[in-house]
Amino acid sequence: MKNKILIITGGDIDNIFLKEHMLKENYSLIIVADSGLEAVDRLGIKVDHIVGDFDSVSQDLLEKYNKTSVEIHRFSKEKDKTDTEIAIDLALMQDPARIDIIGAIGSRVDHTVANINLLLLPLGKGIEANILDANNRIYLKDKGFTIDKASQFGKYISLIAFFGPVEDLILKGFKYPLDGIKLDFASSLGISNEIVDERAIVEFSRGILLVVEALD
């Protein structure tokens, strides 16, 4: 059976959201990146791997986990990958069916943008991956898909062309349907749509869509 993996990394983490999310999901593996360890420790979440250069984790906290059986992967501060990318690399080695990432959005816009771009790594291997916070579920799609209204994350669905145009985009079951248009990279046309049928259908022939399901 393939693994469902959670990565907790060092951006903004809503403790209530993380706790409630953990109660709803049954992850087979949990990986923590660097300062995500602070949230894990606050909530008493059992983890399997800790990765990072640990430049933003207190040494007392790190020493606490050194005394456990959790596998700790240490990296130099001078490295070519962020701690989040290292965590995704590790997750991809575990034969995952799905990877969820919490803590990938924060005050550092550069890290947020880079983390969204990193969703290309699982996408390229055909693996579902989501960035989650209390207000958003973010993912990439390179082929048509459906969204059930009953299970959508939030009221609004935004579809953004990712690093290039999306060709022949068709939207069915949305408040604002589309019929075979070209969605350009520099376009806000797909922002803040809404599902009006029980199931929304998204079809396109070429390109990658950045999908954001937002509560508000």
Side-chain angles (χ1 to χ4, degrees), residues 137 139-141 143 145-147 156-162 166 169-172 174 176-178 181 183-185 187-195 200-204 208-214:
R137 175 163 62 196
Y139 50 93
L140 299 178
K141 290 290 187 180
K143 56 187 175 183
F145 60 100
T146 62
I147 306 174
Y156 299 104
I157 310 292
S158 291
L159 304 170
I160 303 165
F162 195 68
V166 172
L169 180 61
I170 297 171
L171 302 183
K172 301 175 183 178
F174 287 89
Y176 306 107
L178 293 173
I181 65 115
L183 182 62
D184 287 321
F185 177 43
S187 172
S188 61
L189 177 66
I191 298 295
S192 294
N193 212 331
E194 299 177 39
I195 298 175
I201 299 171
V202 181
E203 299 174 349
F204 54 101
I208 298 175
L209 279 174
L210 170 64
V211 186
V212 181
E213 300 182 28

Side-chain angles (χ1 to χ4, degrees), residues 110-180:
D110 51 348
H111 279 277
T112 299
V113 172
N115 289 337
I116 292 172
N117 291 349
L118 288 173
L119 292 175
L120 283 168
L121 299 177
L123 182 73
K125 296 180 179 295
I127 297 166
E128 179 185 353
N130 305 282
I131 289 175
L132 301 163
D133 71 3
N135 293 297
N136 306 281
R137 175 163 62 196
I138 302 168
Y139 50 93
L140 299 178
K141 290 290 187 180
D142 59 2
K143 56 187 175 183
F145 60 100
T146 62
I147 306 174
D148 291 333
K149 186 175 178 64
S151 61
Q152 70 181 105
F153 187 86
K155 177 181 179 180
Y156 299 104
I157 310 292
S158 291
L159 304 170
I160 303 165
F162 195 68
F163 288 136
V166 172
E167 305 282 354
D168 305 312
L169 180 61
I170 297 171
L171 302 183
K172 301 175 183 178
F174 287 89
K175 182 177 181 179
Y176 306 107
L178 293 173
D179 185 15

Side-chain angles (χ1 to χ4, degrees), residues 52-53 75-83 86:
D53 55 26
F75 295 85
S76 169
K77 294 179 183 179
E78 298 178 356
K79 58 188 189 304
D80 295 329
K81 296 183 178 182
T82 63
D83 296 326
I86 290 169

Side-chain angles (χ1 to χ4, degrees), residues 14-25 43:
D14 183 308
N15 289 339
I16 295 174
F17 168 74
L18 178 55
K19 186 175 182 179
E20 291 179 348
H21 183 78
M22 295 294 298
L23 292 174
K24 291 187 295 184
E25 297 287 348
L43 298 176

